[in-house]
Amino acid sequence: MYLPEDPDMLYSMINMKLRDQYSSLDDLCDDADISRTDLEERLAAHGFSYDPEHNRFI
């Protein structure tokens, strides 16, 4: 899966996929073959954190 370099675009794309296609961040990462840790760290560096209760980054 292509991941945008721009943190706001990445945030938007990941949240859209979580909303429309995946029931959890683990499902998305497994299906896309991306590291959950790397994704969370990349978004955390720009102030975003994963909210598992709502299945989205905030």
Side-chain angles (χ1 to χ4, degrees):
M1 170 189 297
Y2 166 75
L3 296 178
E5 292 297 320
D6 179 86
D8 292 320
M9 292 297 293
L10 177 61
Y11 163 80
S12 179
M13 183 188 92
I14 295 297
N15 273 345
M16 179 188 68
K17 289 195 173 287
L18 288 169
R19 181 189 68 231
D20 296 344
Q21 297 175 322
Y22 298 98
S23 61
S24 72
L25 184 57
D26 286 327
D27 288 345
L28 183 151
C29 291
D30 288 345
D31 189 50
D33 195 30
I34 57 178
S35 165
R36 177 182 171 148
T37 301
D38 291 346
L39 179 61
E40 286 188 288
E41 287 176 356
R42 191 167 156 190
L43 287 169
H46 297 282
F48 302 113
S49 63
Y50 181 63
D51 176 2
E53 182 178 341
H54 295 103
N55 191 37
R56 66 181 181 152
F57 279 87
I58 54 172

